[in-house]
Amino acid sequence: MIQSLNEHNREDLQEALGKGGQKLTPQREVVFAVLLAQRDHPTVDEVFNRARESMPGLSLATVYNCLETFVGCGLVRQVNHERESTRYCPNLAPHAHFRDKETGQVHDIELPPEVMKSLRSILPPGFDSEVIEISFLGRTKANDPLHSN
Amino acid sequence: MIQSLNEHNREDLQEALGKGGQKLTPQREVVFAVLLAQRDHPTVDEVFNRARESMPGLSLATVYNCLETFVGCGLVRQVNHERESTRYCPNLAPHAHFRDKETGQVHDIELPPEVMKSLRSILPPGFDSEVIEISFLGRTKANDPLHSN
DNA sequence: TTAAAGAGTTAGAATGAGTCTAAACTGCAA
DNA sequence: TTGCAGTTTAGACTCATTCTAACTCTTTAA
């Protein structure tokens, strides 16, 4: 069982929430701690189960609410693959997602600025994009622990 | 009302279905014709409603079945944006999708081979990708009719 | 020409992720 | 201390999709 934030992370959370006009609550703290503790792109259900270990009364609706709030404040990203359950990711650096066909695991893939640039360059004039989502589907041969997040 | 394929398209459909061990049926023909007639990335429901104009007895389940068959035979691609209804696209050339935040419309964006290559190059060793999905979210300023598919 | 088999279609029931609602709770401010 | 705005909660609800079982159609085999 994990589930308490160090000062640094708590301050970050509080600040980001504040900017979005939201408050730091015990539930939000626990949910955020869950996301930071295990960066494996959990589903809402997975977050719920992990968070309940340290806060048994927590409700599923609250987990949905917390995650939505975090997305609104730019603290986490939603990750969708086809129509599977939405997953959540606290990695704010620009990155793509690689989904292992066999294990279902999702891995972050760093996105160098020049690749972002070449992607933006394919948009015809008049197309103005705020968000670019890139996802790979395939297999990972070596189960390289360095890239298992 | 649209809904009959010219010889050429019917032959293509029949051939692709055959390769996947599937047959050409009247329902599949109508559903495929709907996809070709209006390349606006319709949802299953939209396909269903359009197809029923020429085949009133058609059932929703069949539309789901047909589209699944087409995807299996490589005839159409599924397009997912967040958790909205899946949309279908008969454009087989490599392309990304641009979703207009305001209208919800989906536009195809051509993907030059060098961009595909630079994307593949960001995968660390051991990551082997079969499918890459790229989607932009944003606004289209000029409603340029050349790019409205 | 019938019979059996196999594929495809159909309507409606079931599933399940996500959203909504209304009541209860919390913390701060008058 | 009362009020109230924001938050949490349980459970009902929605709706895209999947499942099921019956039915139809076509093909093959006797």
Side-chain angles (χ1 to χ4, degrees):
Chain A
M1 188 170 80
I2 6 94
Q3 287 33 312
S4 63
L5 293 172
N6 63 37
E7 269 99 292
H8 176 63
N9 287 333
R10 183 182 290 109
E11 274 165 30
D12 283 359
L13 175 58
Q14 184 149 31
E15 192 190 328
L17 287 170
K19 278 186 189 162
Q22 307 289 141
K23 291 173 191 166
L24 182 57
T25 67
Q27 288 86 346
R28 286 174 181 169
E29 204 172 318
V30 169
V31 170
F32 196 64
V34 164
L35 291 179
L36 292 189
Q38 202 178 334
R39 293 165 160 263
D40 59 350
H41 306 85
T43 61
V44 172
D45 242 58
E46 286 163 347
V47 173
F48 179 48
N49 288 319
R50 292 176 199 174
R52 259 200 306 192
E53 288 176 23
S54 43
M55 188 182 267
L58 185 69
S59 98
L60 180 60
T62 300
V63 176
Y64 274 101
N65 290 340
C66 289
L67 291 169
E68 191 191 3
T69 301
F70 296 161
V71 171
C73 295
L75 276 162
V76 310
R77 271 176 65 182
Q78 288 184 315
V79 184
N80 289 291
H81 273 101
E82 331 232 297
R83 302 207 90 253
E84 292 181 359
S85 308
T86 300
R87 295 175 175 277
Y88 292 83
C89 165
N91 179 354
L92 295 177
H95 65 280
H97 291 110
F98 184 102
R99 174 139 184 297
D100 189 307
K101 219 179 172 176
E102 275 147 17
T103 66
Q105 273 190 305
V106 177
H107 305 264
D108 288 354
I109 306 288
E110 206 194 319
L111 259 179
E114 65 271 19
V115 173
M116 291 293 285
K117 225 172 107 187
S118 88
L119 272 171
R120 269 183 213 289
S121 77
I122 69 176
L123 287 177
F127 284 73
D128 213 354
S129 151
E130 295 155 32
V131 183
I132 309 182
E133 297 276 350
I134 299 159
S135 61
F136 298 89
L137 176 66
R139 297 160 203 277
T140 54
K141 275 187 200 140
N143 270 12
D144 181 347
L146 283 173
H147 301 109
S148 58
N149 285 336
Chain B
M1 188 169 82
I2 5 91
Q3 288 33 314
S4 64
L5 292 172
N6 63 37
E7 270 99 290
H8 176 63
N9 287 333
R10 182 182 290 109
E11 275 165 29
D12 282 0
L13 175 58
Q14 185 148 31
E15 192 190 329
L17 286 169
K19 277 187 189 161
Q22 307 288 141
K23 292 173 190 166
L24 182 57
T25 68
Q27 288 86 346
R28 286 174 181 168
E29 203 172 319
V30 169
V31 170
F32 196 65
V34 165
L35 290 179
L36 293 189
Q38 201 178 334
R39 294 165 160 264
D40 59 351
H41 305 84
T43 61
V44 173
D45 241 60
E46 285 163 348
V47 173
F48 179 47
N49 288 318
R50 292 176 199 173
R52 258 200 306 191
E53 287 176 24
S54 43
M55 186 181 266
L58 185 69
S59 98
L60 180 61
T62 300
V63 176
Y64 272 101
N65 291 340
C66 290
L67 291 169
E68 192 191 0
T69 301
F70 296 160
V71 170
C73 295
L75 277 162
V76 309
R77 270 176 64 183
Q78 289 184 314
V79 184
N80 289 293
H81 272 101
E82 329 232 298
R83 303 207 91 252
E84 292 179 0
S85 307
T86 299
R87 295 175 174 278
Y88 291 83
C89 164
N91 178 354
L92 294 176
H95 65 280
H97 290 110
F98 184 101
R99 176 141 182 296
D100 189 307
K101 218 178 173 177
E102 274 146 18
T103 66
Q105 274 189 305
V106 177
H107 305 263
D108 287 354
I109 305 289
E110 206 193 319
L111 260 179
E114 66 271 20
V115 173
M116 292 292 285
K117 225 172 110 189
S118 88
L119 270 171
R120 270 183 213 290
S121 77
I122 69 174
L123 287 177
F127 285 73
D128 214 354
S129 152
E130 295 156 31
V131 183
I132 310 182
E133 296 277 350
I134 300 159
S135 61
F136 297 88
L137 176 67
R139 298 158 203 276
T140 55
K141 276 189 200 134
N143 270 11
D144 182 346
L146 285 173
H147 301 108
S148 59
N149 286 337

